Amino acid sequence: AGIRQRKALDFTIFRFEVNLIKACLQKLYNPHREYDLSIFSDFFNRHSSLDVNALSASRTMDDFVHNLRNTEYYPLFKDLLSKEGTTPFDYQMQLDIYYFKKAWKLKENLNGEDYKAVCQSLGTEIDLLNIMWLYRSKKYFFARTSETFGYVIPVTYKLTKENLLKLTDAPSVEEFISVLKKTYYEKLCSSLSDGTIENACYKLLDKIYKTNSQKYPASICPVNYYLFQKQKELKRLTSALECIRY
């Protein structure tokens, strides 16, 4: 890859790091489950400051945070560790928020077709994740607005800041859907009602990746579309395995 492609692939490396940290967290909180993370060591030794072996060998959250001390993730985890009552869910959610905030800034290093494509795919993904999280928080967790807002990604694309605030403040699922109907994502309302929201979001993202790969064939878009398809494939395999197991 040339310099231009490498800048675009920074997003992939960054996401790979975040996913690996999540896997190490799962191993920490589920010690009875086996995770062989050593297969990633060579790659991360070349491209990352993460010490995979040290993270996967952590036995307590204090050890885990200590093993992140020479990385950009250390301040985030140190701050969360100092807060009483922090759960594994909190660590993973705040890690995701950190990823999307930084990724949205990283896009400024791109230009031309790569910039346009990343803005569209990343911006749409952030909007969709915020919609899904807010909807679930109201339907399943009955969370208060103050609690909910702490898990919202503070980035907007087609979903304006005003839209996001109204969705967050919506007192009920019905009001939430009513607000969403007045936004760019009004077509998602039916999928919220019938429980197919995840499939609808994947289809929308798939369409964006596919369209961009055809529209910008000389950019990083075909590579991103390929990686997105592989991600979908793995998700399907995982779902099939879980159906057999449970």
Side-chain angles (χ1 to χ4, degrees):
I3 294 176
R4 177 184 165 188
Q5 288 89 352
R6 287 181 184 179
K7 283 183 179 179
L9 285 171
D10 281 345
F11 292 90
T12 304
I13 303 298
F14 185 24
R15 176 161 277 184
F16 198 9
E17 277 193 337
V18 168
N19 287 342
L20 186 96
I21 293 174
K22 285 184 179 181
C24 291
L25 276 170
Q26 289 170 5
K27 185 175 182 181
L28 176 65
Y29 283 98
N30 297 280
H32 60 284
R33 294 184 64 180
E34 292 296 324
Y35 293 90
D36 182 13
L37 302 176
S38 62
I39 58 173
F40 301 113
S41 296
D42 289 343
F43 177 84
F44 279 93
N45 287 340
R46 293 198 305 272
H47 300 287
S48 171
S49 58
L50 292 181
D51 186 337
V52 178
N53 293 328
L55 286 174
S56 62
S58 301
R59 291 292 175 265
T60 66
M61 202 61 217
D62 287 304
D63 289 340
F64 192 88
V65 174
H66 177 74
N67 289 327
L68 285 170
R69 65 192 179 284
N70 295 320
T71 73
E72 63 180 285
Y73 306 100
Y74 180 71
L76 171 68
F77 276 80
K78 185 179 180 183
D79 181 56
L80 288 170
L81 184 64
S82 66
K83 295 178 180 178
E84 188 175 347
T86 304
T87 66
F89 173 78
D90 294 318
Y91 284 111
Q92 295 199 52
M93 281 292 288
Q94 293 307 316
L95 185 58
D96 278 337
I97 291 172
Y98 176 79
Y99 164 77
F100 284 109
K101 284 170 62 179
K102 183 181 175 182
W104 194 244
K105 291 180 181 178
L106 278 176
K107 79 183 190 307
E108 300 303 324
N109 296 332
L110 307 176
N111 51 54
E113 296 174 346
D114 290 330
Y115 177 81
K116 292 177 184 177
V118 168
C119 273
Q120 188 179 21
S121 59
L122 184 63
T124 302
E125 185 178 4
I126 291 171
D127 282 349
L128 294 177
L129 285 171
N130 277 335
I131 289 170
M132 285 196 292
W133 162 245
L134 288 171
Y135 177 76
R136 287 170 178 161
S137 70
K138 295 176 187 303
K139 180 162 184 171
Y140 302 111
F141 307 122
F142 310 104
R144 292 174 295 182
T145 299
S146 57
E147 295 171 331
T148 303
F149 207 75
Y151 297 106
V152 170
I153 304 166
V155 173
T156 56
Y157 180 55
K158 296 292 186 181
L159 198 66
T160 66
K161 288 183 179 179
E162 183 183 2
N163 293 153
L164 192 58
L165 285 171
K166 286 182 178 179
L167 289 171
T168 306
D169 290 335
S172 66
V173 170
E174 292 74 23
E175 183 64 25
F176 180 91
I177 292 176
S178 176
V179 172
L180 190 62
K181 283 181 179 178
K182 299 174 185 176
T183 73
Y184 177 83
Y185 298 99
E186 60 176 319
K187 291 182 179 178
L188 291 176
C189 291
S190 59
S191 64
L192 284 174
S193 301
D194 63 19
T196 60
I197 182 63
E198 284 198 14
N199 288 335
C201 290
Y202 258 101
K203 284 181 181 179
L204 179 55
L205 285 173
D206 186 81
K207 182 180 178 180
I208 289 171
Y209 278 107
K210 184 177 181 179
T211 301
N212 284 337
S213 70
Q214 295 169 342
K215 191 175 180 181
Y216 309 121
S219 71
I220 199 69
C221 293
V223 175
N224 286 337
Y225 181 48
Y226 170 79
L227 292 173
F228 181 76
Q229 292 284 34
K230 294 299 287 185
Q231 184 184 15
K232 278 202 324 184
E233 196 173 65
L234 290 170
K235 188 177 177 67
R236 287 171 179 166
L237 285 169
T238 302
S239 296
L241 283 168
E242 287 175 346
C243 287
I244 294 169
R245 175 181 244 177
Y246 301 113

